[in-house]
Amino acid sequence: MRILLALGGNAMTSPDGKARPEDQIAAAEAAMEAVADLVAEGVDVVITHGNGPQVGNLLVKNEFAAAVVPPVPLDWCGAQTQGTLGDVLMNALDGALAARGIVRPTAALVTRTRVDAADPAFAKPSKPVGRYLSADEAATMIDHGETWEDRGERGWRRVVASPEPLEVLDAPAVIALVEAGFVVIANGGGGIPTIKRPDGALAGVEAVIDKDLGAALLARSIEVDRTRHRHRRRPRHPRVRHAGRARHRRGEPRGDARVRRGGSLRRRLDGSQGGRHLPLRRGVRPRRRHHRPQQHREGRLRTGRHDRPSQPDQPHRQPHRQHHRKEA
């Protein structure tokens, strides 16, 4: 069996969120104990990881040194974290395997992921990265060609493009290493964002690839049997799937749909009136229609519990609904 294990970037830090080298090493050693158990069972394991806190640390160094040396591009930051975390994970995994008497080679592969140079995300960067700076500090980074936005009282923050990953360029190398018996660490941080120029040459680009999308693409590319996420928060409503949204993904009109969320029933329309509801999921009950008093209208008389004065001396009884009747 071949599985892909995805480690979140925050899973490589201490419980209080610190990302010092000793914290990351300790977190890696704890995570690789479980990986070693899988390897001992004969499972072929490929590991991918996030790099948010690690790239954030590199960006801080860029900011402090911006007046002295040019900032390191974002794709270079991703490549650096792939090498650093790959080294930490390999050392931790080698130690865990040796403690179990298992001889299995490990390898960390610097992995590129191709994105479309015409992706709309490049025209309007919206992914916030790094920390908040003052206007004067952000101006220095803007002079180096970076995009920063004013976020109000908190200050300025850098925004970058987050294009959709299209291809893991180094997937054949991952497959070759796995078939040769290696435990492979690859595509860290979603992969190094890379574009193909008109002449066919490849070049890194300043962007951030969504880690989950990158992991899913890697899983398909190397044909894994199963994907596991470590330290990943469970969805709030795992049993709910929005019927209208699913139809929209398939290219069909969204139409009307009703789903249960947060214990209530919500109706979402696409702007049309009187549309037909899509079928509800099994086990979802429709909302009850509560009795509401209507306003008195000329020629109509409303009777019921809302019109009768309260009578505390009489036992409470559920009133029966009565139909409207015209006055004589």
Side-chain angles (χ1 to χ4, degrees), residues 61-74:
K61 297 176 183 179
N62 276 350
E63 295 159 7
F64 280 113
V68 181
V69 294
V72 176
L74 198 56

Side-chain angles (χ1 to χ4, degrees), residues 294-304 307 322-328:
Q294 297 183 359
Q295 300 291 336
H296 290 282
R297 297 181 182 178
E298 184 178 357
R300 290 178 179 269
L301 176 63
R302 178 67 177 172
T303 60
D307 300 314
Q322 299 184 11
H323 297 284
H324 296 288
R325 59 185 178 84
K326 294 185 178 180
E327 292 182 348

